[in-house]
Amino acid sequence: MNAIISASELADALRSERPPVLLDVRWQLSTAAASGQPFDGRAAYASGHIPGAVFVDLDRELASTPGPRGRHPLPDLVVFGAAMRRAGVSAGTPVVAYDGGIGWAAARAWWLLRWTGHPDVRVLDGGLPAWDGPLEAEAEAEAEAEAEAEASAPAEGDFVPKPAEGAVLDADGAAALARSGVLLDARAGERYRGEVEPIDPVGGHIPGALSAPTSDNVDADGRFRPAAELRARFGELGATRGVPVGVYCGSGVSAAHEVLALEVAGIPAALYVGSWSEWTSDPARPVAVGPDPQ
């Protein structure tokens, strides 16, 4: 099954006898929008979303409290499972996640559901900007009769998360993989090289990791490059099927997008969820700078 779905394929799926559950996971890395006000994904959802979609809060439902394990540690599985069931997710129901277009947040939802055992999850390629169908505003839904609103609400799902083994790396596992396999750093090249570091206390990368910015996985419209191009891109870095591959970023969000790109290319990969924000929380961990992996 392809891990991504086009807008036209999604429109067809929503008209089918077995429509997918839709997760709206709009989120921004920056805490402030262009207006200077903090980005509010819930407000963005309320202003217009794909009909039937349910908003999922990345910071509260797809991650736990920031701390020594990073800015976006794994969520409490009780909280995550409850959020998925509230959205209508069941083990036998297809799921499609989308965000505002960059794809990182939707990929985080995709990765978490796949990691915890859901067999049928895809990401809307290009996100909401790729959708040319109707949008539903929350105010419109509130204006409907109560009975109609209740009828349109998703039924409670039955999904119970059951984490898989081997798909998650900790700091020691990431360090070991950088020596024995391929560890990809999904951040921008200047952060990898340590030239700038706008968020974490130290710039640079995990020794042995290879620079593979997430931005190179997509075209100018934010859609994934063809699978053959992605295979060629990752192959040049030594990441091929049969080779142990892992990915990290700043806090385990954009790296999920890289894991998704690898999946499109047919290459399984593990995710270092704590990523650079966890790595640099311990000053004893080594840091490499410059373009050389070591």
Side-chain angles (χ1 to χ4, degrees):
M1 184 193 69
N2 201 341
I4 57 177
I5 184 171
S6 69
S8 60
E9 290 170 334
L10 176 57
D12 290 340
L14 291 172
R15 291 190 292 266
S16 71
E17 296 181 355
R18 190 169 171 257
V21 170
L22 287 177
L23 306 180
D24 184 311
V25 201
R26 270 177 278 182
W27 171 87
Q28 284 186 4
L29 175 62
S30 174
T31 57
S35 64
Q37 298 298 317
F39 177 77
D40 186 341
R42 184 67 178 80
Y45 166 85
S47 67
H49 53 269
I50 298 176
V54 176
F55 179 71
V56 176
D57 190 314
L58 185 147
D59 290 315
R60 294 178 175 83
E61 297 172 319
L62 304 184
S64 55
T65 304
R69 293 185 299 128
R71 286 192 305 280
H72 291 103
L74 287 172
D76 182 303
L77 291 183
V78 173
V79 174
F80 173 66
M84 295 300 98
R85 290 190 293 275
R86 171 186 59 82
V89 175
S90 291
T93 305
V95 179
V96 173
Y98 71 88
D99 57 25
I102 195 169
W104 295 0
R108 174 79 174 210
W110 167 85
W111 181 84
L112 279 168
L113 280 165
R114 290 293 302 273
W115 172 60
T116 55
H118 199 289
D120 190 352
V121 191
R122 286 177 285 179
V123 167
L124 175 59
D125 196 15
L128 192 61
W131 176 255
D132 57 4
L135 294 178
E136 177 182 70
E138 194 166 80
E140 296 169 0
E142 290 175 353
E144 296 175 352
E146 182 177 346
E148 184 177 351
E150 289 179 357
S152 65
E156 181 85 2
D158 63 15
F159 179 68
V160 177
K162 297 177 182 178
E165 295 183 3
V168 178
L169 296 171
D170 59 13
D172 290 340
L177 187 60
R179 296 188 298 269
S180 63
V182 175
L183 181 65
L184 302 178
D185 185 317
R187 298 171 301 158
E190 57 268 26
R191 292 184 69 190
Y192 169 88
R193 295 187 296 271
E195 296 166 359
V196 298
E197 182 43 65
I199 305 172
D200 294 308
V202 179
H205 57 270
I206 297 173
L210 303 173
S211 180
T214 296
S215 57
D216 291 344
N217 296 328
V218 298
D219 61 21
D221 293 326
R223 292 179 174 85
F224 280 99
R225 297 186 182 280
E229 288 186 18
L230 291 171
R231 275 194 297 274
R233 181 205 178 197
F234 294 124
E236 290 177 355
L237 296 167
T240 58
R241 194 169 184 85
V243 173
V245 178
V247 188
Y248 75 94
C249 59
S251 66
V253 178
S254 66
H257 188 273
E258 188 118 301
V259 173
L260 176 57
L262 284 155
E263 179 79 8
V264 172
I267 305 166
L271 176 66
Y272 175 23
V273 179
S275 286
W276 191 243
S277 58
E278 179 190 40
W279 185 267
T280 56
S281 70
D282 182 352
R285 294 191 182 111
V287 170
V289 296
D292 191 316
Q294 302 300 331

